[in-house]
Amino acid sequence: MRTRRNASVVAALAVLGLGLACAPASAQDASSIRINEVESSGGSPGDWIELVNTGTVAVDVSKWIVKDDDNSHSYKIASGTSLGPGAFLALDVESAYGLGSADSARLYAADGSTLVDSYAWTSHATTTYGRCADGTGAFTTTVAVTKGAANACGSPLSTSWPGGTAVTVADGSNVFGTNLSGLSYESATVLWAVRNGPGTLYRLVPNGTTWRPDPAGGWASGKTLHFANGSGDPDAEGVVVSPDGTFVITERDNSGSSSAPKILRFDTTSTATTLNATAEWNLTADLPGLPANAGPEAVSWIPDTFLTAHGFRDEHTGAAYTPATYPGHGSGLFFAGVENNGMVYAYALTPSGTYTRVATFTSGFPAVMDLEFEPATGHLWAACDDTCQGRTATLDLNAQGRFAVTRTADRPTGMPNYNNEGFAIAPQSACAGGLKPVLWSDDTNDAGHALRAGTLTCTS
């Protein structure tokens, strides 16, 4: 049931690139502001209309007006609102009026009579209506809701799995039990895995055709994890090995079931049987209101060298990404995927525990369970679990410097629809006959097994 709120009309969500207004926009600048996405049913927190700036300069949108098909329904953007180039602004219009199943969104300049853009529809979208490509293309039904971020426009490419069809068991019987989640290759012969309850980190090594916990270094049963203060039970959902260390992402503290969206770094050279985080980044302020069991599930790392070489756009600065903007952040950025909304957030992390969100984009799915960067192809892979039939998506940097979905793929035909929450791709050095190994981790431990192996083409 949709509720009406009596709050004053304000710009409810200024997502990226917003700042203080300086001078009124010229007519040419105003034409760069477009309606980009519309939620007319069941949105969060209600109906909303998203704008995007397709131009190269910031535009003052103070006191601009958004109406539906009724002239008496008016939503005024707050004074002092400026929309930067390439930035998105989601307006929670339900504070003023609700959008109907057959309705329209009309954007007017501050004079209330100059129509800047409009879009009309005859029924609610199953997701949202959005422009594909952002700001310039025709409206279509999106693949996923992307409030305040680039639209999820789907993929025109084949959805068959780009590798072998066969899938085999890759662990012993009931070695891990339930709750095995994220995976990350360190090398072709070392694999890291996390269990989300109790929070445990595993170092895995080959055991013939399967993987087992490393019997050396105290890793035979995995190592129990704690937050930086030595307390709690981190709900470890994702793991990534990078030149800057081994990082785990959590969505809650199992000891109290409270939401705890955090990125933790651990010293894997320690001989201790339990590991306290050596650094901790609390994302709660940047990702408020996430359900305790539907927060960050996935983490990946992409080197600065790749991002700068491919024109990655820094949405925080509104310009091309420059690593020097974030002193001490290491040699790359961390990409966190959230189960609750399927969005991916790129962060620069500093040793002191501070962070800056650099970009936001959709995974292409309503929920994302793991992220995997493949250096050989430049793909950022997003994996969804059985709620998406085990599908994966590849995202690549487009001409605007933003990650966008370039292909979605079904799971291999030899893989039942397991609750796979982890996904890892072996290094290119493991290629043989044009194929390299991939692994999935099954949170449910179906048939007594949590790891399964398949293959992926080396040049997918």
Side-chain angles (χ1 to χ4, degrees):
M1 178 180 295
R2 185 174 298 161
T3 59
R4 296 290 184 264
R5 292 168 291 161
N6 295 321
S8 60
V9 178
V10 295
L13 181 63
V15 181
L16 295 170
L18 302 180
L20 294 177
C22 297
S26 67
Q28 183 177 1
D29 293 340
S31 67
S32 69
I33 305 299
R34 311 294 289 172
I35 295 172
N36 195 54
E37 188 176 6
V38 175
E39 169 63 87
S40 63
S41 177
S44 177
D47 296 343
W48 48 267
I49 296 170
E50 178 193 84
L51 309 181
V52 64
N53 183 355
T54 63
T56 58
V57 298
V59 177
D60 180 3
V61 293
S62 298
K63 300 182 180 181
W64 285 29
I65 296 169
V66 178
K67 299 181 179 182
D68 62 2
D69 62 1
D70 185 336
N71 283 328
S72 68
H73 292 171
S74 181
Y75 178 103
K76 183 177 290 185
I77 299 175
S79 299
T81 303
S82 177
L83 192 55
F88 302 89
L89 172 63
L91 306 169
D92 290 331
V93 297
E94 189 142 339
S95 60
Y97 54 83
L99 297 172
S101 60
D103 210 336
S104 65
R106 296 179 293 164
L107 175 64
Y108 290 88
D111 61 13
S113 60
T114 302
L115 182 65
V116 178
D117 195 18
S118 65
Y119 174 65
W121 58 94
T122 57
S123 62
H124 290 308
T126 53
T127 51
T128 60
Y129 290 116
R131 289 189 186 274
C132 293
D134 285 293
T136 58
F139 276 91
T140 186
T141 300
T142 60
V143 173
V145 178
T146 57
K147 185 178 184 180
N151 288 341
C153 295
S155 171
L157 302 182
S158 169
T159 59
S160 60
W161 172 252
T165 59
V167 174
T168 60
V169 168
D171 63 347
S173 179
N174 291 308
V175 171
F176 302 101
T178 59
N179 294 333
L180 197 68
S181 196
L183 301 172
S184 180
Y185 275 96
E186 178 181 328
S187 67
T189 57
V190 175
L191 179 74
W192 294 90
V194 285
R195 184 170 62 190
N196 55 62
T200 309
L201 179 64
Y202 294 93
R203 188 180 193 270
L204 307 181
V205 294
N207 182 31
T209 59
T210 63
W211 292 83
R212 65 172 178 174
D214 190 343
W219 292 102
S221 298
K223 297 193 177 187
T224 302
L225 303 179
H226 296 295
F227 293 105
N229 63 5
S231 69
D233 175 13
D235 181 72
E237 297 287 353
V239 61
V240 64
V241 178
S242 78
D244 300 327
T246 300
F247 294 77
V248 171
I249 199 162
T250 72
E251 62 182 6
R252 68 182 186 274
D253 182 351
N254 292 318
S255 63
S257 297
S258 58
S259 178
K262 296 182 177 183
I263 298 175
L264 310 175
R265 184 175 63 207
F266 292 95
D267 178 9
T268 56
T269 66
S270 172
T271 58
T273 56
T274 62
L275 300 177
N276 297 338
T278 58
E280 182 173 307
W281 294 267
N282 188 345
L283 306 178
T284 302
D286 194 59
L287 302 173
L290 290 176
N293 195 30
E297 283 269 344
V299 65
S300 190
W301 177 89
I302 301 180
D304 286 341
T305 51
F306 175 86
L307 295 172
T308 54
H310 291 80
F312 181 56
R313 183 178 180 82
D314 184 337
E315 294 172 355
H316 176 69
T317 64
Y321 172 59
T322 303
T325 303
Y326 308 100
H329 78 281
S331 56
L333 299 181
F334 289 84
F335 291 72
V338 171
E339 177 182 3
N340 186 58
N341 57 14
M343 299 300 292
V344 181
Y345 305 86
Y347 291 104
L349 308 181
T350 62
S352 65
T354 62
Y355 58 85
T356 303
R357 191 202 298 188
V358 179
T360 308
F361 53 92
T362 178
S363 67
F365 296 119
V368 57
M369 300 302 168
D370 212 350
L371 294 169
E372 176 81 355
F373 178 63
E374 186 183 12
T377 61
H379 297 321
L380 177 63
W381 291 75
C384 191
D385 60 6
D386 50 345
T387 62
C388 304
Q389 303 297 310
R391 302 181 78 208
T392 55
T394 55
L395 298 96
D396 295 278
L397 284 170
N398 60 22
Q400 290 73 45
R402 297 184 173 90
F403 279 99
V405 175
T406 49
R407 169 165 41 193
T408 56
D410 293 334
R411 65 184 188 273
T413 56
M415 173 81 80
N417 190 26
Y418 292 137
N419 184 24
N420 290 329
E421 291 194 355
F423 176 67
I425 302 171
Q428 201 75 351
S429 61
C431 286
L435 297 172
K436 57 186 174 184
V438 292
L439 287 169
W440 291 266
S441 59
D442 176 7
D443 183 79
T444 307
N445 198 46
D446 285 286
H449 293 283
L451 288 177
R452 290 176 176 83
T455 55
L456 176 69
T457 56
C458 292
T459 58
S460 70

